[in-house]
Amino acid sequence: MRRFAPAYQQRYPAALLPSHQRAIRDILACRTPALGGHLWHCAKCDKDVYVYHGCRNRACPACHTAQTQEWLADRQEELLPCPYFHLTATVPEALRDLFRSNQKGAL
């Protein structure tokens, strides 16, 4: 992220949503002095360790990898034990309002 984000932001400024810009800013600041931190003391070895705060952004791999993996495992458990396909279809414009207003059966 540190290597490529600045060039990406400069090249595609109009395409970046505010939420994406914030995610990039948060991830770049994650676990750095920019977010502050805490001093921890280890009683066993009598050493002090300064630990920087995480950004807690849901897109941050350092902050949410464990939660993401847990969510994926939960979704895997919901799958049926058979092969299946995910289909995406484009609905004709004339039928879109009908589909949007009748979504009870949708997952």
Side-chain angles (χ1 to χ4, degrees):
M1 186 66 82
R2 292 189 205 314
R3 182 176 175 189
F4 296 108
Y8 185 82
Q9 288 172 305
Q10 189 174 14
R11 186 169 181 179
Y12 303 104
L16 281 172
L17 298 172
S19 60
H20 295 177
Q21 292 172 357
R22 179 172 179 172
I24 290 170
R25 272 194 318 272
D26 289 349
I27 292 169
L28 289 173
C30 189
R31 302 184 199 287
T32 68
L35 298 179
H38 281 91
L39 182 63
W40 294 95
H41 179 75
C42 178
K44 271 188 172 179
C45 66
D46 199 37
K47 287 189 179 179
D48 290 331
V49 178
Y50 195 80
V51 179
Y52 294 118
H53 292 161
C55 67
R56 300 181 61 172
N57 188 299
R58 67 185 179 133
C60 178
C63 291
H64 287 284
T65 296
Q67 284 179 318
T68 301
Q69 294 304 317
E70 185 178 322
W71 182 86
L72 287 171
D74 291 344
R75 300 298 72 80
Q76 287 284 3
E77 289 178 16
E78 295 171 354
L79 296 176
L80 298 172
C82 62
Y84 65 95
F85 297 91
H86 177 89
L87 298 177
T88 303
T90 302
V91 177
E93 189 172 353
L95 296 175
R96 289 181 192 161
D97 286 338
L98 177 67
F99 275 67
R100 284 190 189 113
S101 63
N102 292 288
Q103 296 184 38
K104 277 188 178 179
L107 294 175

